[in-house]
Amino acid sequence: MRIKVKFHSLLRLYLGFGEMILELPDRQDITVRELIDELNLRVGKELKNKLLDGDEIKKGTMVLLNGKNILHLKKLDTVVQDGDVVVFFPPGGGG
Amino acid sequence: MKSELSMFQRQIELLGTDCQSKIADTVILVAGIGGLGSVVAESLVRFGVQKIYIVDNGLIDAPDLNRQILYTYKDIGRPKVLVAKERLSSINPSCEIVPMDEKISESFELPNDVDGVADCLDNFADRFTLAELAWNKGIFLVHGGINGFWGQITSIVPNKSPKMKDLFAGVDEERQQVQVIMPTSGIVALLQSLEIVKLICGIEPNLIGKLLLIDLLNYDFDKIEV
């Protein structure tokens, strides 16, 4: 399976890139929790600490699966499938 | 009347007379008259909106002057809405500017004649309150938010887009002291004002059901269906 993963704003700044295609040839699907573990292994940085607070998405970070906020799906247990797009970003609160 | 018409001559050629009439007949409330709100309000006056409510209970402070274009050094310490009214009225005296020196809260009431809202606030708690008021009134809200080189815009329209609190579930709702430069607030705000005009005139594509993520560090725009 192939998943497009996008990082915006401060997450892109931290990682040094804004988009990657994650190839998982042995998988049919993956949860967001597992996806973050996989990304953490591949990017060579402490991405997991940036995204998670314990076993929850860190306050202030949004995760969209095909445009839907995963907090309205199954949170970290939300299943990601082939062709899906996952976006991580912290919205700007200032005005 | 002649001078009014000539003020909008260059854009009527682009937008058409029907659109210009709709702009003039639409009443907008700009919530927050800081970095975003200053530019949104000025742009709407220059577009030809004829009545604008501006809501903010803040006083002008020196750190506002790097981006809040309605204010100058001599205005420090004065209420933002009063100085904003002076400046906006001087651009087009026929535009009615209604200052509301108050904070958005659950007890805030949207004036009856408001047709649309610009969310230029500085925290998500107040944004959610404002968006709920607009949603319940059945009118559009154009959201803008910024931090550093980055910002986002979306249009919240009842039954056509997700609710604000659903789209942004999980955000930190408290007011945060963000880093900000004028290009970020200015560009996001100008796009908000454009989006408001698009909604008024029915120009597509617009940002209903779409989240525009703006990255000025990398000059990237990403539009996500939500």
Side-chain angles (χ1 to χ4, degrees):
Chain A
M1 64 182 290
R2 297 174 92 236
I3 305 165
K4 182 184 280 189
V5 183
K6 295 180 178 182
F7 301 98
H8 282 283
S9 182
L10 293 166
L11 291 170
R12 176 172 179 175
L13 184 68
Y14 173 70
L15 290 171
F17 62 90
E19 188 173 317
M20 67 185 291
I21 301 293
L22 191 62
E23 302 258 10
L24 298 162
D26 301 329
R27 301 289 299 256
Q28 296 298 312
D29 55 39
I30 188 170
T31 65
V32 173
R33 181 184 287 101
E34 292 169 330
L35 173 67
I36 290 172
D37 283 335
E38 190 67 37
L39 290 169
N40 200 60
L41 285 173
R42 297 196 185 200
V43 300
K45 290 192 175 185
E46 288 302 315
L47 179 63
K48 192 171 177 177
N49 291 339
K50 292 275 183 190
L51 300 178
L52 299 182
D53 186 3
D55 195 37
E56 292 184 354
I57 293 289
K58 190 171 273 188
K59 195 176 184 182
T61 297
M62 284 179 59
V63 186
L64 303 179
L65 170 62
N66 301 327
K68 305 300 172 203
N69 191 322
I70 66 162
L71 293 184
H72 302 306
L73 303 173
K74 292 185 177 176
K75 301 180 180 176
L76 289 173
D77 292 322
T78 301
V79 174
V80 182
Q81 297 180 312
D82 183 45
D84 285 346
V85 179
V86 182
V87 179
F88 295 91
F89 79 103
Chain B
M1 190 64 182
K2 188 178 176 186
S3 64
E4 257 182 62
L5 284 175
S6 63
M7 179 174 173
F8 306 117
Q9 179 187 344
R10 299 289 290 273
Q11 69 191 39
I12 288 174
E13 294 168 8
L14 178 68
L15 301 173
T17 51
D18 285 353
C19 179
Q20 191 64 50
S21 295
K22 288 177 183 172
I23 292 170
D25 290 341
T26 303
V27 178
I28 299 293
L29 181 140
V30 179
I33 195 82
L36 294 175
S38 288
V39 177
V40 167
E42 178 160 338
S43 180
L44 291 178
V45 169
R46 293 183 188 278
F47 261 121
V49 175
Q50 290 294 298
K51 186 172 183 181
I52 301 173
Y53 291 90
I54 51 175
V55 187
D56 199 309
N57 68 344
L59 304 177
I60 297 159
D61 195 6
D64 299 334
L65 299 181
N66 78 328
R67 65 198 185 283
Q68 299 186 18
I69 59 167
L70 298 176
Y71 317 125
T72 61
Y73 189 80
K74 67 178 173 50
D75 301 319
I76 289 173
R78 297 185 64 203
K80 287 186 176 180
V81 288
L82 296 184
V83 178
K85 177 181 165 62
E86 291 170 7
R87 164 72 180 171
L88 295 168
S89 296
S90 73
I91 296 168
N92 182 1
S94 75
C95 177
E96 183 183 356
I97 305 294
V98 184
M100 301 176 78
D101 190 350
E102 54 189 297
K103 186 182 185 307
I104 298 296
S105 66
E106 287 178 5
S107 62
F108 181 81
E109 291 185 13
L110 286 171
N112 284 335
D113 60 348
V114 170
D115 300 303
V117 173
D119 163 20
C120 304
L121 297 167
D122 63 2
N123 68 87
F124 273 98
D126 291 347
R127 285 187 161 101
F128 290 162
T129 300
L130 178 71
E132 198 67 14
L133 291 169
W135 186 280
N136 292 337
K137 191 173 166 54
I139 60 176
F140 69 77
L141 175 145
V142 176
H143 158 79
I146 54 172
N147 185 17
F149 292 100
W150 305 275
Q152 75 279 333
I153 303 172
T154 191
S155 285
I156 306 294
V157 179
N159 304 316
K160 291 184 179 175
S161 74
K163 283 185 140 186
M164 182 94 144
K165 66 181 179 185
D166 291 336
L167 176 59
F168 288 106
V171 296
D172 193 340
E173 295 187 25
E174 299 299 313
R175 180 178 183 273
Q176 294 174 338
Q177 185 94 344
V178 299
Q179 302 164 339
V180 64
I181 51 177
M182 187 172 168
T184 311
S185 55
I187 288 168
V188 170
L190 284 172
L191 291 174
Q192 277 183 276
S193 72
L194 173 63
E195 175 68 4
I196 288 168
V197 167
K198 284 187 163 196
L199 296 182
I200 291 171
C201 294
I203 300 170
E204 294 186 341
N206 55 41
L207 294 175
I208 299 173
K210 299 181 186 73
L211 179 64
L212 181 65
L213 299 177
I214 297 160
D215 178 344
L216 297 179
L217 185 62
N218 295 288
Y219 295 123
D220 275 347
F221 286 59
D222 192 7
K223 196 166 55 178
I224 299 169
E225 302 257 356
V226 293

